[in-house]
Amino acid sequence: MKKEDCIFCRIANGEIPSATIYEDADFRVILDLGPASKGHALILPKEHFDNIYELDEDTAAKAFVLAKNMAGKMTEALGCDGFNIVQNNGTVAGQTVFHFHMHLIPRYEGDADFLHWEPGRLTDEVKEEILEKMKTV
Ligand code: 5GP
Ligand code: ZN
């Protein structure tokens, strides 16, 4: 199902032109308009899902296989030195377009460390709390 007024539905289904580097029956892979690095691309399912919570398992499985294959192809074509897969869900997590997508981000020696975070510390108290909570679901 497509969603009216969703820009990624319109791009994924070819209603709005995009720089497409791969397409099949289920997905379109396009270059990001605001790239974090040279070659930054987005995997868009042609069907609309707001986020990972809504995504069906068949599309989830296919999306990750596609990410794996795109990482190999893009690394060969672009000569990058590493690769990040990023996938944001919810405003607090940095999602700005509410149509599920995966970021394919080539990394190059010496590029900006734009995905870095300061590691915290896993205390025994928090560890036990999480282990208990995860048993309830
Ligand atoms: P999010 O922040 O939701 O994880 O990622 C949205 C991404 O989509 C951003 O990296 C942004 O640059 C990209 N983007 C937003 N609108 C468009 C568009 O119309 N075309 C393309 N190619 N990329 C877009
Ligand atoms: Zn959509």
Side-chain angles (χ1 to χ4, degrees):
M1 280 278 286
K2 285 191 286 169
K3 189 176 169 190
E4 289 298 320
D5 79 3
C6 172
I7 180 120
F8 280 3
C9 277
R10 299 184 67 198
I11 292 173
N13 290 281
E15 289 165 28
I16 296 177
S18 61
T20 296
I21 59 173
Y22 174 84
E23 183 182 5
D24 63 25
D26 301 309
F27 298 96
R28 183 185 292 270
V29 183
I30 64 169
L31 295 182
D32 194 298
L33 277 186
S37 71
K38 186 176 175 183
H40 180 173
L42 302 170
I43 294 180
L44 310 181
K46 292 186 175 179
E47 201 172 324
H48 182 91
F49 307 93
D50 280 356
N51 50 43
I52 198 167
Y53 305 111
E54 308 245 312
L55 192 63
D56 70 54
E57 290 193 0
D58 182 51
T59 307
K62 286 179 177 166
F64 205 77
V65 172
L66 178 55
K68 185 253 180 307
N69 290 333
M70 290 305 300
K73 286 182 184 176
M74 290 168 70
T75 298
E76 186 181 340
L78 301 171
C80 57
D81 304 302
F83 216 87
N84 289 117
I85 308 286
V86 175
Q87 202 279 304
N88 301 324
N89 301 280
T91 305
V92 71
Q95 187 177 11
T96 58
V97 180
F98 295 89
H99 173 123
F100 174 90
H101 53 280
M102 295 172 84
H103 294 261
L104 304 172
I105 307 179
R107 299 302 301 265
Y108 302 90
E109 294 289 351
D111 67 11
D113 194 8
F114 47 79
L115 289 178
H116 179 84
W117 63 82
E118 285 301 323
R121 193 175 72 83
L122 180 62
T123 62
D124 286 344
E125 188 187 357
V126 171
K127 178 176 69 180
E128 290 309 325
E129 177 194 333
I130 295 166
L131 292 176
E132 284 308 313
K133 282 182 172 167
M134 289 307 298
K135 288 178 191 162
T136 68
V137 292

